[in-house]
Amino acid sequence: MSGILETNLKSLPLLHRGKVRDIYAVGADKLLVVQTDRLSAFDVILDDPIPNKGKMLTEMSNFWFKKFGDLMPNHETGIDPQSVVAKDERAQVAGRAMVVKKFTPLGIEAIVRGYIIGSGWKDYQQTGAICGIALPAGLQEAQKLPHTMFTPSTKAPAGQHDANISFEEAEKIVGADIARQVRAAAIDLYTQAAEYAAGRGIIIADTKFEFGLDAGGTLYLIDEILTPDSSRFWPMSSYQVGMSPPSFDKQFVRDWLETQPWDKKAPAPRVPQDVLEQTSAKYAEALRLLTQ
């Protein structure tokens, strides 16, 4: 099994290579967003691709965008990605790309938490709060939170760590009105997605949304949505409070990396083939459970 670490399209101008996506210009008002098989863990891009990851993420994002199309507007155009590249480049985008409207992304990431895990758990252990929001004493790792929490973060460049910020700091970055719109939309999306996923045997512990603005200041849902790269998916059947549950997402790779003698700075350790293939299988299982 292999994967695509990087695309090389000559028919469109390359605008940006992110942690996972390669972004090209399609005219002045649209973008071609290609999901590679790169994986970013601890904000470091691994040298080993996850087989078929980009195609699975694209299929899952498309599923959620369609499902929540009436809830709020998004960046999709419906244009076939293979129609905007040269014929000999179509294999690079087939099944792993979207042609989207070009919006101005916000300077924050919208993180919603339903369970206490990851950086939120570490914050709580140290301060009794998450991002400055006080919580009851005695919560355990992976426990369902008393209420769904919106905890925005900064958007760090590749190779740097995002930083959790307070809602007040988010208001300073994007403005009070937009910050409130983002908080309401993110919590609504998460709540509905979590309810749907629970019916399919999956707990969505937390997730990250990204939003953008058009020229008139209207808020749109952009980027990817509710994928194993932007969310923690736990199988309900093996969920236990008090431990980090097994997951359908890249937490599997994170957990392996945590066992390695590594300072979480580039370059990351080379990931064994069996870990790559097991991770790919977890993405595939999540996709099957949620969309079929």
Side-chain angles (χ1 to χ4, degrees):
M1 298 175 75
S2 60
I4 293 180
L5 266 180
E6 188 174 288
T7 57
N8 186 27
L9 305 179
K10 302 298 185 185
S11 57
L12 296 173
L14 175 66
L15 297 179
H16 178 67
R17 290 196 201 279
K19 294 172 183 174
V20 175
R21 288 167 289 282
D22 292 348
I23 301 175
Y24 297 83
V26 181
D29 61 346
K30 290 184 284 295
L31 304 170
L32 176 71
V33 180
V34 188
Q35 290 271 18
T36 70
D37 297 322
R38 295 194 293 268
L39 189 140
S40 168
F42 305 108
D43 294 311
V44 175
I45 298 170
L46 307 186
D47 291 329
D48 301 285
I50 305 297
N52 295 318
K53 171 175 169 282
K55 291 184 177 181
M56 291 187 281
L57 293 186
T58 300
E59 185 176 346
M60 192 172 290
S61 281
N62 284 335
F63 167 80
W64 291 113
F65 278 128
K66 183 177 181 180
K67 183 172 182 61
F68 292 138
D70 294 335
L71 199 59
M72 76 171 300
N74 61 60
H75 65 179
E76 291 207 315
T77 65
I79 297 171
D80 181 358
Q82 295 186 68
S83 71
V84 301
V85 299
K87 188 176 292 187
D88 63 352
E89 296 173 339
R90 290 176 182 171
Q92 294 186 62
V93 303
R96 63 170 67 247
M98 292 184 281
V99 179
V100 302
K101 300 166 192 170
K102 185 178 181 180
F103 296 125
T104 302
L106 299 182
I108 61 170
E109 294 186 336
I111 297 169
V112 184
R113 303 173 190 269
Y115 293 74
I116 186 166
I117 197 71
S119 64
W121 170 241
K122 292 177 182 176
D123 192 0
Y124 174 75
Q125 287 179 294
Q126 294 169 357
T127 68
I130 297 179
C131 298
I133 303 171
L135 290 168
L139 295 180
Q140 298 181 64
E141 185 176 17
Q143 186 170 341
K144 185 175 175 65
L145 288 161
H147 55 85
T148 301
M149 299 180 68
F150 174 72
T151 58
S153 75
T154 59
K155 291 175 68 172
Q160 297 182 31
H161 294 285
D162 299 335
N164 293 333
I165 57 175
S166 68
F167 183 73
E168 290 70 28
E169 289 173 287
E171 288 182 308
K172 292 176 184 177
I173 294 171
V174 301
D177 181 56
I178 293 298
R180 292 190 189 102
Q181 287 185 54
V182 166
R183 178 173 61 185
I187 290 174
D188 195 13
L189 286 162
Y190 170 80
T191 301
Q192 294 200 33
E195 183 178 341
Y196 169 83
R200 300 300 187 97
I202 291 179
I203 294 170
I204 303 179
D206 54 33
T207 195
K208 175 187 73 175
F209 297 108
E210 297 211 34
F211 297 89
L213 298 173
D214 68 8
T218 299
L219 193 69
Y220 286 80
L221 189 59
I222 65 170
D223 202 63
E224 65 179 334
I225 173 177
L226 295 158
T227 73
D229 266 20
S230 65
S231 318
R232 282 187 177 89
F233 291 160
W234 296 337
M236 201 171 285
S237 59
S238 55
Y239 167 69
Q240 290 184 43
V241 173
M243 56 174 281
S244 180
S247 65
F248 286 115
D249 52 54
K250 66 179 181 180
Q251 191 63 39
F252 186 75
V253 174
R254 281 199 197 103
D255 289 345
W256 180 83
L257 287 168
E258 289 276 26
T259 68
Q260 306 303 302
W262 178 47
D263 61 2
K264 296 186 174 63
K265 296 178 182 178
R270 298 301 300 266
V271 182
Q273 190 65 27
D274 67 312
V275 174
L276 299 174
E277 292 179 5
Q278 288 180 69
T279 303
S280 180
K282 287 179 178 292
Y283 278 70
E285 178 68 0
L287 179 64
R288 183 188 68 79
L289 288 171
L290 288 170
T291 67
Q292 294 180 10

